[in-house]
Amino acid sequence: MSLLTVTNLTKHFGGLAALASVSMTVEVGERRAIIGPNGAGKSTFFNLIAGELLPTSGQVQLEGQDITKLPVNERANLGLGHTFQRNNLFLGLTTFENVYLAVQHHQGITKNIFKPAGQFSQVTAQTTEILQRVGLLEQQHEVVSTLAYGQQRALEVALALATEPKVLLLDEPTAGMSPAETTEMAQLIENLPHSLTMMIVEHDMDVVFSLANKITVLHYGQKISNGTPAQVRADPIVQEIYLGAGYNENVSK
Amino acid sequence: MTSLTEQMGLSTWLGQKRVKLGLIIMAVILALIYPYVSSLYFLSLAIEVFIFAIFAMSLDLLLGYTGLASFGHAAFLGLGGYILGYISSRSDLALNLTSNILITLPLVIIGTALIAFIIGFFALRTSGIYFLMVTLAFAQMLFSIAIRWSGITGGSDGLAGVARPVIGLGSFSYEFSSRPSFYYLVLFFFLLSWWLLRRIVNSPFGWTLRGIRENEQRMKALGYNTFRFKMAAFVIAGTFAGLSGMLLVQFFRHAAPGNLYWTMSGQVIVMLIVGGTGTLIGPILGAMVIRLFPLFVSSYTERWELLLGLLFILFVLFAPKGIMGFLGVKPSTLLTQEKRPSG
Ligand SMILES: Nc1ncnc2c1ncn2[C@@H]1O[C@H](COP(=O)(O)OP(=O)(O)OP(=O)(O)O)[C@@H](O)[C@H]1O
Ligand SMILES: [Mg+2]
């Protein structure tokens, strides 16, 4: 049984088919990149899997269970982690508090209504550990709205990591980052345990080809290619439609 | 724009734990000896301030911590009062059962919690301006019920002749008949409420509420069933408001429909805006300012509510974080910074 099975997933926005009958399976430990030009439907695809959007038709299964109609929070509790293309953080809270919120839910202590949050040493310890991992420990006391953009981006990933998901959906984790920050983030993602199944939307082809062991290409909401990096690179349809859009040099180097 | 106290270096001083603790202990000691130095009139004012401070703190849990702008919080103030009144009023309409707070308090708590659950069940499906309208509508509905259902509520007259609270257990019984004794009863409930709410907002549950305030969608994406937490906050806030309503009716010995009216919901929002939300202390200061406000202005004008509106607008425009913001006191953080960078 595949970890994630998507069958004929379709999403219409008015007359626009943002996603048109896309099917795929993702196995445990896979690192799947989803690529495609702007507006291809990549974020829509992730939002449908994570439950931020409900599909017009089609089905999503996680470990054989139909989750197509489950609300976001229940999918998260089943092991779907999602980072957003646009930072989606708790801007008025500190960096530490942001990660703490993810960890405290994961450790199941949120029903505690009386004991000060800071006294749950396992939660604070794991929060610190994650901050360390993404390189934000020095900024832990800072209010998130005052962080640099790249740091907010790292925090976006930290929140999803903190829930220890089975499937991690990363929507352009390096978008808007400086080259140095991109390298660091790619390193961080690369070093995640290989047992963690990952799907990543990424425009940086260096990152895609160094990270992914499977690639799916979307174009106008349709899946036009699917396979190993070598297969996708050699696919004539990809060459014709997608690589023509200016990615040619990046992909073929 | 830095606040005045920040320029004076006062805010770092106020931010220190020792200073805070010292100020709190001083305030509590002052409150304890107050009846010995105050006239009866000023003692009554203090009682009112403490009762409204409980009411305002309870709304802060919703508005300040959870980001739920309820414009119908008077529903619970009024309801708590009517439940108490119905049990302990000497009026023919009421049960005239007992004024023993060991019985009346649990009934007030259960009653307001139940109604809060029902109102929350519907209101919490909406958000923002719709939530505001729905909570307002429910409170106004309770108001019209109180006016119309005169066989039980006494209509626009309300329930008069509410018995003084008694605490009785077995053969022991004490009546809070003197004003100072009632003052201490209110002070006790005020300190208890403040302590309980402080524990609540600093717990993992309390941090969950802040997360919902900041970004409910992301909380869901992290796996939180946010509806449940909002419901819990709504019910807790409702019961503390009910407690304050109970004390108010015990104080005036009269359960009146005005306690359910939308102006009461508005007044408590003004208290929060003036004091500063999300701090618990702010609403206490706000309750003080608003309830003592007529003292200073009634000699100039009868229309103090108009001036209240003006005060509200001034705060919104020039001190949106209220008195607490003006003093440079920031909401507490989860981790205390052991070493603040000096300078
Ligand atoms: N909520 C929405 N309402 C209407 N149209 C939408 C909505 N979300 C996305 N779309 C449209 O659906 C199409 C796919 O958008 P999507 O964000 O999934 O693309 P993408 O592949 O993630 O693009 P990018 O690389 O720019 O992030 C686009 O044409 C977009 O304008
Ligand atoms: Mg996108």
Side-chain angles (χ1 to χ4, degrees), chain A residues 52 72-73 76-77 84 88-90 92 96-97 100-101 104-105 109-110 112-117 120 140-141 156 159, chain B residues 195-196 199-200 202-205 207-208 211 213-215 217-225 229 236 333-335 337:
Chain A
E52 299 288 344
V72 180
N73 59 307
N77 293 334
F84 295 80
N88 193 358
L89 305 164
F90 307 103
F96 184 90
E97 288 157 3
Y100 187 97
L101 283 177
Q104 72 162 4
H105 173 73
I109 62 156
T110 53
N112 279 282
I113 199 163
F114 230 64
K115 188 172 156 187
F120 292 84
Q140 62 172 340
H141 293 304
E156 181 68 42
L159 287 187
Chain B
W195 182 72
L196 287 173
R199 296 290 291 203
I200 290 172
N202 289 326
S203 69
F205 172 83
W207 282 96
T208 303
R213 175 192 71 200
E214 294 292 320
N215 189 343
Q217 182 223 356
R218 188 58 193 256
M219 288 298 271
K220 287 182 186 164
L222 291 176
Y224 285 91
N225 183 340
F229 286 94
I236 293 169
T333 50
L334 203 160
L335 269 194
Q337 282 167 267

Side-chain angles (χ1 to χ4, degrees), chain B:
Chain B
M1 196 178 70
T2 53
S3 75
L4 189 69
T5 54
E6 232 159 88
Q7 288 163 20
M8 290 160 54
L10 235 177
S11 65
T12 32
W13 183 76
L14 276 172
Q16 280 173 28
K17 214 170 180 175
R18 271 183 316 157
V19 176
K20 267 190 205 159
L21 197 70
L23 283 174
I24 288 167
I25 290 173
M26 249 164 60
V28 170
I29 291 174
L30 272 178
L32 282 172
I33 61 171
Y34 185 70
Y36 295 95
V37 297
S38 161
S39 68
L40 271 189
Y41 174 67
F42 278 93
L43 194 59
S44 298
L45 278 178
I47 289 172
E48 257 188 68
V49 166
F50 284 133
I51 292 174
F52 276 93
I54 299 174
F55 186 37
M57 282 191 295
S58 75
L59 181 63
D60 200 20
L61 188 69
L62 291 184
L63 185 64
Y65 288 91
T66 321
L68 288 169
S70 167
F71 196 10
H73 208 47
F76 307 109
L77 180 86
L79 192 72
Y82 270 105
I83 294 174
L84 185 276
Y86 194 64
I87 302 168
S88 359
S89 164
R90 301 245 159 83
S91 145
D92 299 338
L93 302 170
L95 289 175
N96 194 6
L97 207 61
T98 175
S99 63
N100 186 350
I101 50 178
L102 294 182
I103 297 169
T104 56
L105 179 64
L107 288 175
V108 165
I109 287 175
I110 292 167
T112 44
L114 198 72
I115 300 294
F117 186 85
I118 294 169
I119 294 179
F121 186 80
F122 295 102
L124 290 170
R125 279 158 212 285
T126 64
S127 61
I129 191 85
Y130 299 100
F131 179 76
L132 193 140
M133 302 301 283
V134 173
T135 46
L136 172 64
F138 270 109
Q140 286 301 96
M141 200 167 84
L142 287 185
F143 174 74
S144 13
I145 291 174
I147 296 281
R148 301 250 165 81
W149 200 14
S150 47
I152 294 241
T153 62
S156 50
D157 294 337
L159 295 168
V162 172
R164 293 181 196 285
V166 167
I167 187 161
L169 195 62
S171 57
F172 169 82
S173 171
Y174 177 82
E175 184 178 298
F176 295 90
S177 47
S178 74
R179 187 129 328 162
S181 70
F182 187 69
Y183 169 89
Y184 284 115
L185 181 72
V186 170
L187 180 64
F188 167 76
F189 277 121
F190 163 73
L191 290 175
L192 181 71
S193 303
W194 178 66
W195 182 72
L196 287 173
L197 284 167
R198 221 179 108 83
R199 296 290 291 203
I200 290 172
V201 300
N202 289 326
S203 69
F205 172 83
W207 282 96
T208 303
L209 300 185
R210 289 181 188 78
I212 292 172
R213 175 192 71 200
E214 294 292 320
N215 189 343
E216 183 174 357
Q217 182 223 356
R218 188 58 193 256
M219 288 298 271
K220 287 182 186 164
L222 291 176
Y224 285 91
N225 183 340
T226 55
F227 182 80
R228 279 200 196 160
F229 286 94
K230 290 194 289 184
M231 180 62 105
F234 198 75
V235 170
I236 293 169
T239 49
F240 277 102
L243 166 69
S244 65
M246 175 189 97
L247 294 171
L248 196 65
V249 166
Q250 283 169 337
F251 181 49
F252 288 115
R253 310 189 61 195
H254 182 199
N259 293 345
L260 286 164
Y261 201 50
W262 69 268
T263 51
M264 190 60 94
S265 300
Q267 192 181 125
V268 68
I269 292 177
V270 177
M271 288 175 184
L272 259 61
I273 303 285
V274 167
T277 58
T279 55
L280 289 185
I281 301 280
I284 300 172
L285 298 178
M288 250 164 105
V289 171
I290 301 305
R291 293 315 287 190
L292 302 183
F293 193 58
L295 271 185
F296 307 109
V297 294
S298 59
S299 47
Y300 299 101
T301 172
E302 294 290 295
R303 309 200 159 194
W304 71 276
E305 282 183 338
L306 204 78
L307 282 170
L308 203 69
L310 202 67
L311 187 77
F312 175 72
I313 292 168
L314 285 176
F315 264 92
V316 168
L317 286 180
F318 299 110
K321 290 186 178 152
I323 298 170
M324 293 299 271
F326 190 73
L327 291 174
V329 181
K330 301 210 170 63
S332 61
T333 50
L334 203 160
L335 269 194
T336 45
Q337 282 167 267
E338 292 87 334
K339 289 197 196 88
R340 280 169 164 270
S342 55

Side-chain angles (χ1 to χ4, degrees), chain A residues 13-80:
Chain A
F13 292 113
L16 174 83
L19 205 69
S21 198
V22 169
S23 302
M24 74 172 68
T25 56
V26 179
E27 307 299 331
V28 175
E30 205 175 295
R31 293 181 165 195
R32 161 96 55 157
I34 311 287
I35 62 172
N38 292 110
K42 307 179 296 292
S43 295
T44 303
F45 185 52
F46 273 13
N47 284 329
L48 289 170
I49 296 172
E52 299 288 344
L53 293 172
L54 288 180
T56 309
S57 62
Q59 210 188 36
V60 184
Q61 285 175 306
L62 184 69
E63 294 181 310
Q65 183 189 350
D66 183 3
I67 60 165
T68 315
K69 298 219 161 64
L70 283 189
V72 180
N73 59 307
E74 287 180 33
R75 297 192 203 201
N77 293 334
L78 288 176
L80 271 173

